[in-house]
Amino acid sequence: MSLSNIQSLCQKFTSLSATDVEKLIEIEATLSYYAELTDCYMFIDCMLENLPHAIVVAEAFPKTERGLYEKSVIGKFVFESFEPAVFAAFKNKEKSSITRAITQEGITVEQNVVPLFNNHQQVIAVLIQEKKVEMQTTPQDDFRHMPFALIEHIVEPNSQPIPVVSDLLVESIILTNHENKVIYSNPAGYRFISELTGLERFDNVALNKILPFLQEVYDKGDDVFFLEITIDRKSFIVKKIPIRDQNDRVTLLIIHDLTELKLKENELMMKTFAIREIHHRVKNNLQTVTSLLRLQMRNDLSASSASAFQEALNRIYSISSVYELILENEDNAEEKVDVIALAKKIGHKMVGTSNTPSIQLTFHDDNVQLFCHSKKAVSLALIICELLQNALKYAFTGREEGTINIQFQQDASTISLYISDNGVGMQEVKASFGMEIITRLVEYDLAGTFSIIPSEQGTHTQIQFPVSEEVFILND
C-alpha cells in the first residue's frame, strides 16, 4: 500500500508521530468541502525537523474559472519572510492573519492561519485559508494595465515625480520579463548591474546572459528562491519571487549586498584570532616562568625561600588558569570565563601540591553559573589563590587533615564568595603581602568589600562585589 502525501512528507521532513499524522489525514479529508464552501484555497503546512521553514503537505482548491495556482504546491517549502502569519501561528499557538502574503508563485493573497493541535495540546501543523487580493488600479488608463511593481513614480500635474519606496531602498529591486530582460530597476539595482557588467544600458539584454551567476536563480522556475553568492570579492543574497502579470510572467529579484558585512565579519574574525593568539602566548610565557622558578627551586633553598617560591608559583598558575579556560572554548569570542570552574581548577591544583595532602576541598555554588571577562577573572583568580594559600599555610598547623569550603551565592545585584576552613582559626589579622593583594584587588578591581567573619572554629572570609557588565550570572 503506497503512502499518502502527508505520510511520506511527514516521515521524510518532520518529527511528527504516527498518531499526529493520522490526525492530519482526517483533517485533509474535509479540505475540499471547506474550499468550495468559502471559495478559498486550503492548505496544511508542517514545520521541518531540522530547518526553520515549513512544508506544504496537503491542499484543496475551489472550482473557479482561473486558478490561483497553476500547479500543485504540495512538497514546496514555505519561508517566514514571505508568509509570516504561518510561523506566527506556530509560535503563538493561536489564529493569525495577514492581508498581504506572497504565495509560492509570487501572488499576493489574504491569508488566515489556524494552528492544529494533537491530544497533548502541541501544535503539529497549521490550517491555511487563502484568497486572492485584487490589486487596486488607478483611474488613469495609462496605469490600468501596468503591473503594480512597474509604477516607478506617482506623478501629479505641474509637479516633480515623487519616488516610491523602492527608489529609497539600499537593496537592488529588479524586474525581468519572460525573456529575463530588465523591465524595471530601482537606482540601487541599476548601480548593481552597471558595476558588475560595465554596461550603461541593458534594457534589451537577458540578465542571466550578462550576469551568468543568476542562471541558477532562473532555473528554479516558479519557486520562491534564496541564493547567497560571492563573486569578484562581492557577496550578496538574491531573493527571487515570480509574479504573474495579466499577459506575461514577471520575475522580481531583490538583491541585498553583503560585501561590507562580510568584510566586517572577516575583520572581527581576524581580531578574534589575534586575541586568542595573544592569550596563547601569555599562557605559554607564564608556563615558561613557572618552569624557570621550578628549576631554581631545585637548588638548595631554605624553608622560607621554598615557601616564597611556591606562593609565587601558585599566583602564576592562577593567572595562567584564566587563559587556559578562555582557550578551551574556541567559540568564546567575548572571552567569558566560568568563575566556578576557575575556582575549582585553582583549588584542586593548590590542595594537590600542598604539604598537607589530607585536606578536603568542597564547593557549594547553588546551581549558579557565574561568568566574567578576562580582566575581572584574573583578579578573582588571585584573590582565591591568596585565601587558599593562607588557609593551607596557617589553618592546619599541627594537624594532618582538614576541610576548606568555597561557596558562591548571589542575589539580584550582589555576588558573595565565602572561603572558610575548620582549622585553628585566626587569633588576629596581621598585615601581610597576601592580605594587601586581596584588599586591593577586591576594592579597586571588583569594587567590592572583603571581611573576616568571626567564628568559633576556623577562619571564615567573605567577599562581596556587584553584578556588572563584566561580571554576570546565568541561573540554571
Side-chain angles (χ1 to χ4, degrees), residues 252-281:
L252 169 63
L253 300 179
I254 303 174
I255 304 174
H256 182 64
D257 193 345
L258 300 177
T259 304
E260 185 174 352
L261 178 61
K262 291 287 186 181
L263 289 174
K264 296 293 184 183
E265 288 179 352
N266 289 336
E267 289 176 7
L268 181 60
M269 187 178 299
M270 292 304 297
K271 288 180 180 178
T272 301
F273 287 150
I275 291 171
R276 290 187 66 83
E277 179 62 21
I278 290 170
H279 289 332
H280 188 73
R281 293 188 181 186

Side-chain angles (χ1 to χ4, degrees), residues 128-147:
I128 303 169
Q129 179 190 68
E130 289 183 359
K131 190 169 186 177
K132 185 176 181 181
V133 175
E134 297 296 336
M135 292 299 182
Q136 297 295 324
T137 58
T138 62
Q140 289 86 352
D141 292 338
D142 291 342
F143 291 160
R144 187 171 298 162
H145 301 294
M146 293 180 66

Side-chain angles (χ1 to χ4, degrees), residues 31-137:
L31 283 188
S32 59
Y33 298 106
Y34 286 107
E36 287 298 323
L37 180 65
T38 62
D39 197 26
C40 294
Y41 291 72
M42 306 296 296
F43 303 93
I44 297 176
D45 287 7
C46 296
M47 288 299 295
L48 298 178
E49 182 176 10
N50 298 318
L51 292 171
H53 311 312
I55 187 171
V56 182
V57 298
E59 65 185 8
F61 299 163
K63 297 176 181 178
T64 56
E65 293 183 3
R66 182 181 180 185
L68 183 60
Y69 291 85
E70 291 186 349
K71 56 185 178 181
S72 172
V73 296
I74 290 178
K76 297 286 188 180
F77 289 169
V78 180
F79 303 96
E80 184 171 8
S81 57
F82 296 115
E83 301 188 40
V86 171
F87 294 84
F90 274 112
K91 294 174 183 177
N92 301 328
K93 299 183 179 181
E94 60 185 24
K95 181 180 176 181
S96 179
S97 300
I98 188 170
T99 56
R100 288 181 180 273
I102 299 175
T103 69
Q104 302 295 334
E105 294 194 352
I107 302 167
T108 304
V109 297
E110 179 182 344
Q111 196 176 70
N112 294 299
V113 188
V114 178
L116 302 176
F117 297 87
N118 61 13
N119 296 332
H120 303 290
Q121 293 304 303
Q122 298 170 324
V123 179
I124 58 176
V126 292
L127 180 64
I128 303 169
Q129 179 190 68
E130 289 183 359
K131 190 169 186 177
K132 185 176 181 181
V133 175
E134 297 296 336
M135 292 299 182
Q136 297 295 324
T137 58

Side-chain angles (χ1 to χ4, degrees), residues 236-259:
F236 39 86
I237 288 180
V238 179
K239 298 178 183 179
K240 185 204 76 172
I241 307 171
I243 299 175
R244 183 183 298 170
D245 187 15
Q246 291 183 350
N247 303 313
D248 206 346
R249 181 168 296 279
V250 174
T251 299
L252 169 63
L253 300 179
I254 303 174
I255 304 174
H256 182 64
D257 193 345
L258 300 177
T259 304

Side-chain angles (χ1 to χ4, degrees), residues 300-318:
D300 293 332
L301 297 176
S302 63
S304 60
S305 297
S307 176
F309 268 83
Q310 187 58 52
E311 290 177 5
L313 285 171
N314 288 337
R315 290 167 184 145
I316 295 171
Y317 178 79
S318 300

